[in-house]
Amino acid sequence: MDLIHLSDGDNSFRVRVLGRRMPGVLPLHDLLNTEVLIESGFVTGRLDLGLFPGDLDGWSHALDVLAAGGDVRWMDDDRSPEIRFQALNEEHGTPAVHVEDVARSGISVFLPLCLEDGWINDQRKRLQLVRREWPNEVLRTSPGAYEWRR
């Protein structure tokens, strides 16, 4: 299931959720295995990525920022890859995604995307589908202590 799918026919950026990292094992049950997929006429790439429940909250916030016309860096911690979104890249006149994988591959990809109106709402729907399919089931009760949500 795609958490993010941005495509204009020529360029594509996706974050595909593959499933839980360690189903049934506290505290890693809610960690999602995902892959970042980039496709264009010039480059095709794939990166493994683990998403925590807070990353989904961060994506929701990022969509709010983009809807207001702002630019945002998603997962703004020190993990790799760094993913930045522009609501409107002035040079290309379109939204754009910049993926930089400094820690592992050293590769950076910039994708301008001619997206249709309503693309942010489509991403919100995808986020809700992911949350419905893989709800948060682990509760952190104190530092280093976890239990199942009831």
Side-chain angles (χ1 to χ4, degrees):
M1 176 181 298
D2 288 340
L3 169 65
I4 303 171
H5 188 174
L6 303 173
S7 179
D8 63 7
D10 293 325
N11 296 323
S12 173
F13 173 83
R14 292 184 294 164
V15 175
R16 176 169 286 161
V17 179
L18 304 173
R20 293 189 188 277
R21 168 84 38 102
M22 297 185 76
V25 177
L26 289 172
L28 300 176
H29 177 80
D30 285 346
L31 181 63
L32 298 177
N33 281 332
T34 66
E35 59 185 0
V36 175
L37 302 163
I38 298 169
E39 298 173 0
S40 77
F42 180 69
V43 67
T44 299
R46 181 188 167 284
L47 292 168
D48 293 324
L49 180 66
L51 291 182
F52 294 95
D55 295 327
L56 298 181
D57 297 339
W59 178 233
S60 178
H61 173 72
L63 290 170
D64 293 341
V65 172
L66 290 165
D71 299 340
V72 68
R73 188 172 107 180
W74 180 46
M75 298 186 310
D76 57 354
D77 51 18
D78 291 330
R79 290 186 298 172
S80 192
E82 177 181 304
I83 304 171
R84 294 188 308 268
F85 296 89
Q86 292 180 294
L88 181 63
N89 175 274
E90 291 184 19
E91 180 180 344
H92 295 278
T94 66
V97 179
H98 185 188
V99 181
E100 193 167 7
D101 183 42
V102 175
R104 292 185 275 183
S105 68
I107 294 176
S108 177
V109 177
F110 174 80
L111 287 173
L113 296 152
C114 296
L115 301 174
E116 295 181 16
D117 291 339
W119 69 271
I120 292 174
N121 287 334
D122 181 53
Q123 301 316 300
R124 290 185 201 277
K125 289 175 188 173
R126 291 176 182 283
L127 173 60
Q128 291 307 317
L129 289 172
V130 167
R131 285 184 163 161
R132 193 174 312 133
E133 182 71 22
W134 293 286
N136 293 343
E137 297 176 335
V138 176
L139 178 65
R140 182 176 179 204
T141 57
S142 63
Y146 302 88
E147 65 183 41
W148 294 107
R149 289 188 190 273
R150 296 173 194 195

